[in-house]
Amino acid sequence: MKTAEGENGNKQYNLGNCYWNVIRTTRDEKKVFQWHLKLAEGGDSNEQFNLGCCYENGIGTTKDEEKAFQRYLKSAEGGNSNGQNNLGNCYLNGIGTTNNEEKAFKWYLKSAEGGNRIGQYVLRNCYKNGIGTPKDEVKAFQWYLKSAEVENSNGQFNLGFCYENGSKKNVNN
């Protein structure tokens, strides 16, 4: 705690985790939020993402979808693949912003290309269902394959389903 109070970013992050994971302290969501806020003010894109989660879910603060959206946007623009994925969710579901499937697709694609397992899986759904992009079963299958290769259990399950139930036209591509 003393190191964290002395402006050491890693120690501040670790202290926030202690309050969240109940390590040698009691769970204190307000302190979790305060430490994420302090670190986010320094521009850390991961902390922008964490703060977005706090605002979206009301962790240590009042639930505020518009603030969640703004923090996810900062995180995404900073290159954080989790922030990019959650920003896609905001655009897809109208969380803190107007629903926009094309923007959702754009951020899912950035997340997926950045190696985010969830983004890869969700991008597959975009191609399969024509969300923000034209339907493309070949690309849908390719993103299932990518998500399965990085051990996304949903991607692995659905890839197996494709093989089992005749989506094999995509297998050889």
Side-chain angles (χ1 to χ4, degrees), residues 33 76 90 116 120 140 148 169 171:
F33 174 79
C90 288
N116 187 289
Q120 292 170 347
K169 68 180 180 178
V171 171

PDB file of all heavy atoms in Angstrom, residues 33 76 90 116 120 140 148 169 171:
ATOM      1  N   PHE A  33     -12.266   0.691  -7.757  1.00  0.00           N
ATOM      2  CA  PHE A  33     -12.596   1.751  -8.698  1.00  0.00           C
ATOM      3  C   PHE A  33     -11.615   2.917  -8.577  1.00  0.00           C
ATOM      4  O   PHE A  33     -11.113   3.428  -9.582  1.00  0.00           O
ATOM      5  CB  PHE A  33     -14.033   2.242  -8.465  1.00  0.00           C
ATOM      6  CG  PHE A  33     -14.392   3.424  -9.315  1.00  0.00           C
ATOM      7  CD1 PHE A  33     -14.730   3.262 -10.650  1.00  0.00           C
ATOM      8  CD2 PHE A  33     -14.387   4.705  -8.782  1.00  0.00           C
ATOM      9  CE1 PHE A  33     -15.055   4.356 -11.447  1.00  0.00           C
ATOM     10  CE2 PHE A  33     -14.708   5.802  -9.566  1.00  0.00           C
ATOM     11  CZ  PHE A  33     -15.041   5.623 -10.891  1.00  0.00           C
ATOM     12  N   ALA A  76      -9.684   1.380 -26.601  1.00  0.00           N
ATOM     13  CA  ALA A  76      -9.610   0.858 -27.971  1.00  0.00           C
ATOM     14  C   ALA A  76      -8.664   1.693 -28.822  1.00  0.00           C
ATOM     15  O   ALA A  76      -7.834   1.146 -29.558  1.00  0.00           O
ATOM     16  CB  ALA A  76     -11.009   0.831 -28.589  1.00  0.00           C
ATOM     17  N   CYS A  90     -20.495  -2.285 -27.367  1.00  0.00           N
ATOM     18  CA  CYS A  90     -21.261  -1.056 -27.135  1.00  0.00           C
ATOM     19  C   CYS A  90     -21.994  -0.626 -28.399  1.00  0.00           C
ATOM     20  O   CYS A  90     -23.182  -0.301 -28.356  1.00  0.00           O
ATOM     21  CB  CYS A  90     -20.333   0.067 -26.660  1.00  0.00           C
ATOM     22  SG  CYS A  90     -19.714  -0.120 -24.977  1.00  0.00           S
ATOM     23  N   ASN A 116      -7.242 -11.056 -30.032  1.00  0.00           N
ATOM     24  CA  ASN A 116      -8.214 -11.248 -28.967  1.00  0.00           C
ATOM     25  C   ASN A 116      -9.116 -12.441 -29.287  1.00  0.00           C
ATOM     26  O   ASN A 116      -9.806 -12.452 -30.307  1.00  0.00           O
ATOM     27  CB  ASN A 116      -9.048  -9.975 -28.776  1.00  0.00           C
ATOM     28  CG  ASN A 116      -9.957 -10.038 -27.587  1.00  0.00           C
ATOM     29  OD1 ASN A 116     -10.939 -10.770 -27.590  1.00  0.00           O
ATOM     30  ND2 ASN A 116      -9.625  -9.270 -26.565  1.00  0.00           N
ATOM     31  N   GLN A 120     -12.145 -12.690 -32.008  1.00  0.00           N
ATOM     32  CA  GLN A 120     -12.109 -13.610 -33.141  1.00  0.00           C
ATOM     33  C   GLN A 120     -13.411 -14.396 -33.240  1.00  0.00           C
ATOM     34  O   GLN A 120     -13.955 -14.576 -34.329  1.00  0.00           O
ATOM     35  CB  GLN A 120     -10.914 -14.554 -33.012  1.00  0.00           C
ATOM     36  CG  GLN A 120      -9.600 -13.842 -33.184  1.00  0.00           C
ATOM     37  CD  GLN A 120      -8.410 -14.698 -32.829  1.00  0.00           C
ATOM     38  OE1 GLN A 120      -8.523 -15.755 -32.222  1.00  0.00           O
ATOM     39  NE2 GLN A 120      -7.239 -14.233 -33.219  1.00  0.00           N
ATOM     40  N   ALA A 140     -16.354 -16.619 -42.076  1.00  0.00           N
ATOM     41  CA  ALA A 140     -16.892 -17.056 -40.781  1.00  0.00           C
ATOM     42  C   ALA A 140     -16.158 -18.308 -40.319  1.00  0.00           C
ATOM     43  O   ALA A 140     -15.709 -18.395 -39.172  1.00  0.00           O
ATOM     44  CB  ALA A 140     -18.395 -17.321 -40.879  1.00  0.00           C
ATOM     45  N   ALA A 148     -10.495 -21.178 -32.487  1.00  0.00           N
ATOM     46  CA  ALA A 148     -10.244 -22.519 -31.953  1.00  0.00           C
ATOM     47  C   ALA A 148      -8.754 -22.749 -31.744  1.00  0.00           C
ATOM     48  O   ALA A 148      -8.348 -23.353 -30.748  1.00  0.00           O
ATOM     49  CB  ALA A 148     -10.813 -23.579 -32.902  1.00  0.00           C
ATOM     50  N   LYS A 169     -17.952 -27.333 -46.595  1.00  0.00           N
ATOM     51  CA  LYS A 169     -17.603 -26.629 -47.822  1.00  0.00           C
ATOM     52  C   LYS A 169     -16.546 -25.572 -47.552  1.00  0.00           C
ATOM     53  O   LYS A 169     -15.826 -25.164 -48.430  1.00  0.00           O
ATOM     54  CB  LYS A 169     -18.828 -26.016 -48.487  1.00  0.00           C
ATOM     55  CG  LYS A 169     -19.456 -24.875 -47.719  1.00  0.00           C
ATOM     56  CD  LYS A 169     -20.666 -24.353 -48.474  1.00  0.00           C
ATOM     57  CE  LYS A 169     -21.300 -23.218 -47.711  1.00  0.00           C
ATOM     58  NZ  LYS A 169     -22.435 -22.677 -48.430  1.00  0.00           N
ATOM     59  N   VAL A 171     -14.132 -26.018 -45.162  1.00  0.00           N
ATOM     60  CA  VAL A 171     -12.986 -26.653 -44.544  1.00  0.00           C
ATOM     61  C   VAL A 171     -11.740 -26.569 -45.408  1.00  0.00           C
ATOM     62  O   VAL A 171     -10.647 -26.355 -44.932  1.00  0.00           O
ATOM     63  CB  VAL A 171     -13.303 -28.118 -44.191  1.00  0.00           C
ATOM     64  CG1 VAL A 171     -12.074 -28.869 -43.747  1.00  0.00           C
ATOM     65  CG2 VAL A 171     -14.374 -28.166 -43.122  1.00  0.00           C
TER      66      VAL A 171
END
